[in-house]
Each structure stands twice: as C-alpha cells, then as structure tokens.
Amino acid sequence: MKRVVILVLALSVHFFTPLRADEYRLQPGDVVEIGIANYAELKQRLPIQMDGSLSLPLVGTLPAQGLTLTELRLSVQGAFEARVWRVRLPDGREETRFFERDGISVSIVEYRPVFVAGDVGKPGEIVYRPSMTVRQAIASAGGAPGQAMRGLLAPFDPANAKNEYINAWINMFAGLTQIWRIENELGQERELDQTVLANAPVSQSVLNQMVETETQLRERRSGEYAAQRSFYERAVEQANTQVNVLTEQQKKEDEGMQEDIADFQRVNDLYGKGSLTSQRVTDARRNVLLSSTRKLQTEAQLLDTIRKRGEYQRELERLDHARRSELLKDLKDAQLKLAGDKARLEGAQEKLAISGMRLPGSSGLIVKVMLHRQGPEKAESFEAQAETVLVPGDALDVTVQGSRYELGAAAQR
C-alpha cells in the first residue's frame, strides 16, 4: 500500500485568487525595468531600496514602496517628461531631445523571493513566479518527506530496507531493555513499557528472550553487589563486637592496675617501717608493671580494631559510590546509543515509506503549512491550503506529522 501524503486544509479558509499586476504593491527587494522607446541604451533594471525608494540615474530618487506598477509608471513618466536630454551627434553637433510619456515603460522583472522552512528537502528562499501556489513552492523547495527523500536517497533494495528496519528495531528494543534494567538497579523500580511491543516486527519469543537476558544480568550483578556489601557489613559488625569486648576489658585492666598501684604504695609504706622485706616491694612493683603493660596492650588492640572498623565502613561507602557511578555511566551510554538507534530506525522507516511498504501502526504523512504574510497594515499568519496563491515575500513553515512509527512512551524518553 502506498504511503499517502495529505496536505491539511486550513481551518479558516484563506484561499487567494491570483494577484493581478495592477493590484500588487511594490516593496523593497522587487526589481523593476525602466525602458524608453528608441533609446535601448537607457534600459536598466533597478531594485527598490530598503528605504522604499527607486534611484534613477537621469532623474534622481523616486518613492516606490507601496505603489502599484501603474502608479510607479506614472511617477517615472512624469519625472522623465520634465527632463531635457542633450545628446552629441556623430558630426559633433549637440541635439536636445525630450522623452515622450507614452514611450516610457515600467515593468516588474523580479519579485521578492518566497521563503520555505521546516520539513522540506531544501529549505531557503525560492524565486517567486506569478500565481505560484503553496504546492508549487514546496515542490520547488525539494518537496516534503518522502517526496524530498526520493531525490536525496540512492537507489536501494526494499527487501534490504525491511531487514535494516527490523535490525534497527531490535537494537532499539535492546537499548530500551538495557535502560530498564539499569534504572531498576539504581532503585527506580518500574515495569518495562509494553506499548512498544504492540506492533513489533519480530516474534514475541525473541522479545521475551531479550527481556529475560537483561533480567538474568540484573540478578547476577545485584547478587555480586549484595555479596560484596554483606562481606563489609559483617566485618563492621564483628569490629563493633570486638570494640565492645576490648572496651570492657580495658576498663577491667584499668581497675586492676589501680589496685596494683594502691597495693604497691601500701607495701612500700610497710617496708619503710621495717615490717616487710625488699622482696615483697619488688613483687609489688612487678605487679604494677605487668598490669600497666596489659592495659597498654588492650588500648593498642582497641585502637587497631577501631581503625579497621573505619576502613570497612569506608570500603562499604566506596562500594556503593562506585556501583552508582558505574550504573549512571552505563545509563548515559545506553541513552546515547538509544538515540542513535532511534534515528536509524526512523531512517529505515522512511526508506520503507518511499518504497511503498507501510509499517504496522503507521499512518500517512500529514503536511501542515503555516503561511506568514506582511499585509498593508500588519503581519498575519494562517494555515494554508495546497492551492493557496502566494504573493512575493510570503514565508512558509512546513511541518510533517505522522511520519514516525509510534515507539511507545519509553522510547520517547
């Protein structure tokens, strides 16, 4: 079935009959030709200047903007009629000549261009021709898709174009499932958008397998992450237990040391009174030294355990940060790749449209044309018909709708 290109009719009718030459009002950019009978050497083409004037070498500057061709002709004829022209004859004599009104002609030889922008093959300005229509202007600008693409694309095999479309669609869907998997790994729990599957060019089993592959990859990656996180969480928990035990042990060691110090002082006092031998003082001093050593060892072990706990906690934070950074990078890469896959898919669609093959769920092209025109008093814009007659200086904005296969909400993200 051939793809249909529909030019949408304007909601409010703006259908213009061809503009008669005696009705057209001259504007800057128009070019007129001045001719004088029997004086071919005086024929000249002159553009109307930006200030709306027309500069004639023999008579000076005349106003032209807003005049009809008839009004300008009368003005030029009046200006030339009032001039005397002296010419030198071949024999050296001078002769005075007068210009006859009826021998002076004024005609428009070049109108202001028409501008065409938007979804056309060659946007830009085009030469205006009397009675030119919107349809003719769009055709001169290269046509709308796929008219324009017929002239731009090299010959291709429709069968290969179909395979290209299917491959592009599969790549696009693979990108969608990858993004779906990454977003879920980032904690954005959501279901895969099923609208994209409505008119898939491949079997449901192929699509299910692609989804299953991404699901298994997500489960494996999540399992590996959970195992690493569990290791550091257990290490932190064990360190917390050791800190509590060592803190309690440090408290007891301190109490024991304080008792040994008190005992040493008591023994030393008795030794001074001669009640105890020096060996008893030596033993008491040894006990103080041992208890202080045990306390220092416990303190060192406690500090080392606290340090290790801090390292485990930082490793846990680094693990979370590194995983999120990697997932965000993967998401960005997947989104960029998806954009390219979508562009290739749309290009394949256009090829199929040109070859006359219609895609499931697609519709004909709808071309809307907004016409922008500078009126005598103000500018106006309206939606034009295909046969709307243009005037010089008109600007067309062409928009094509319905030229893209519906990819679903997820593909439009």
Side-chain angles (χ1 to χ4, degrees):
M1 182 181 297
K2 291 190 175 181
R3 193 169 177 112
V4 181
V5 180
I6 305 171
L7 189 60
V8 177
L9 299 179
L11 298 178
S12 57
V13 177
H14 283 83
F15 189 86
F16 291 87
T17 57
L19 187 67
R20 299 206 313 264
D22 59 352
E23 295 177 338
Y24 177 65
R25 300 281 175 178
L26 295 166
Q27 298 293 331
D30 292 329
V31 178
V32 298
E33 184 176 87
I34 311 295
I36 303 176
N38 301 321
Y39 298 98
E41 69 275 13
L42 296 181
K43 179 183 289 189
Q44 52 189 320
R45 293 188 175 187
L46 302 170
I48 298 177
Q49 304 300 319
M50 290 299 296
D51 61 358
S53 66
L54 190 67
S55 180
L56 284 76
L58 294 179
V59 299
T61 301
L62 298 176
Q65 182 175 0
L67 300 181
T68 64
L69 189 62
T70 299
E71 292 170 342
L72 179 62
R73 183 183 300 113
L74 292 175
S75 176
V76 172
Q77 288 174 343
F80 272 99
E81 190 178 35
R83 302 286 296 182
V84 175
W85 186 35
R86 295 183 181 276
V87 296
R88 184 177 296 275
L89 299 177
D91 59 6
R93 293 180 296 112
E94 286 190 351
E95 183 178 87
T96 300
R97 295 183 181 180
F98 299 91
F99 298 112
E100 296 183 4
R101 173 181 290 270
D102 294 339
I104 299 173
S105 64
V106 180
S107 60
I108 302 176
V109 293
E110 186 178 326
Y111 292 93
R112 287 171 293 150
V114 170
F115 300 89
V116 183
D119 298 329
V120 291
K122 299 177 181 179
E125 66 177 48
I126 59 175
V127 177
Y128 175 81
R129 303 297 181 192
S131 302
M132 175 181 282
T133 64
V134 168
R135 187 191 303 277
Q136 293 168 342
I138 292 177
S140 298
Q147 297 170 327
M149 293 190 69
R150 286 190 178 93
L152 296 175
L153 291 177
F156 59 88
D157 184 353
N160 289 337
K162 183 177 181 180
N163 291 334
E164 180 182 341
Y165 166 76
I166 293 175
N167 290 334
W169 197 99
I170 291 175
N171 289 335
M172 183 274 301
F173 183 73
L176 288 177
T177 56
Q178 183 182 17
I179 291 175
W180 165 74
R181 186 257 302 167
I182 294 173
E183 289 180 341
N184 277 272
E185 287 189 70
L186 285 169
Q188 305 174 21
E189 297 291 339
R190 66 177 182 85
E191 297 295 328
L192 181 65
D193 182 14
Q194 298 295 316
T195 58
V196 72
L197 308 180
N199 296 295
V202 294
S203 65
Q204 186 65 41
S205 61
V206 173
L207 302 178
N208 291 341
Q209 182 61 44
M210 295 173 68
V211 175
E212 180 62 24
T213 299
E214 290 295 334
T215 301
Q216 292 177 358
L217 179 59
R218 175 195 174 188
E219 292 175 351
R220 180 177 63 80
R221 286 165 58 95
S222 298
E224 292 174 352
Y225 166 69
Q228 288 179 302
R229 204 174 198 287
S230 177
F231 170 80
Y232 288 115
E233 287 176 340
R234 288 197 305 271
V236 171
E237 184 179 353
Q238 291 173 357
N240 285 332
T241 301
Q242 285 184 309
V243 167
N244 293 334
V245 171
L246 291 173
T247 301
E248 184 65 25
Q249 182 177 341
Q250 182 186 36
K251 181 181 178 182
K252 292 180 179 179
E253 295 289 354
D254 185 66
E255 292 175 352
M257 186 185 69
Q258 295 300 327
E259 291 178 357
D260 288 339
I261 291 174
D263 182 64
F264 172 73
Q265 292 175 345
R266 182 179 60 80
V267 170
N268 194 47
D269 290 342
L270 292 174
Y271 173 74
K273 296 176 180 180
S275 301
L276 294 176
T277 64
S278 60
Q279 183 60 40
R280 184 69 180 86
V281 174
T282 300
D283 292 341
R285 184 182 292 111
R286 184 185 299 111
N287 290 337
V288 171
L289 180 61
L290 291 175
S291 60
S292 61
T293 301
R294 286 195 297 269
K295 179 187 176 183
L296 289 174
Q297 290 175 341
T298 302
E299 287 179 349
Q301 190 175 0
L302 175 60
L303 291 175
D304 185 62
T305 303
I306 292 175
R307 179 185 59 79
K308 290 181 178 179
R309 181 180 64 180
E311 291 179 354
Y312 294 142
Q313 290 172 334
R314 286 190 292 274
E315 286 296 328
L316 189 58
E317 292 173 356
R318 279 195 288 267
L319 176 66
D320 292 341
H321 178 74
R323 180 175 184 269
R324 182 168 182 81
S325 297
E326 181 183 2
L327 287 174
L328 289 175
K329 181 181 180 301
D330 291 345
L331 180 61
K332 179 182 178 180
D333 293 342
Q335 290 171 337
L336 290 175
K337 182 177 181 300
L338 177 62
D341 291 337
K342 287 167 59 179
R344 284 184 284 274
L345 177 62
E346 291 169 355
Q349 289 177 195
E350 294 294 351
K351 286 185 179 180
L352 291 181
I354 294 170
S355 67
M357 300 176 66
R358 186 169 181 174
L359 300 174
S362 65
S363 58
L365 297 180
I366 299 177
V367 181
K368 289 188 177 182
V369 180
M370 288 300 297
L371 193 154
H372 309 281
R373 174 172 297 171
Q374 179 63 50
E377 298 180 356
K378 64 177 182 178
E380 60 178 342
S381 300
F382 52 86
E383 195 170 334
Q385 302 179 37
E387 302 306 325
T388 296
V389 179
L390 302 175
V391 300
D394 279 350
L396 303 179
D397 191 358
V398 183
T399 304
V400 178
Q401 299 177 345
S403 62
R404 297 291 181 263
Y405 182 81
E406 295 299 329
L407 301 178
Q412 306 301 329
R413 293 157 66 90

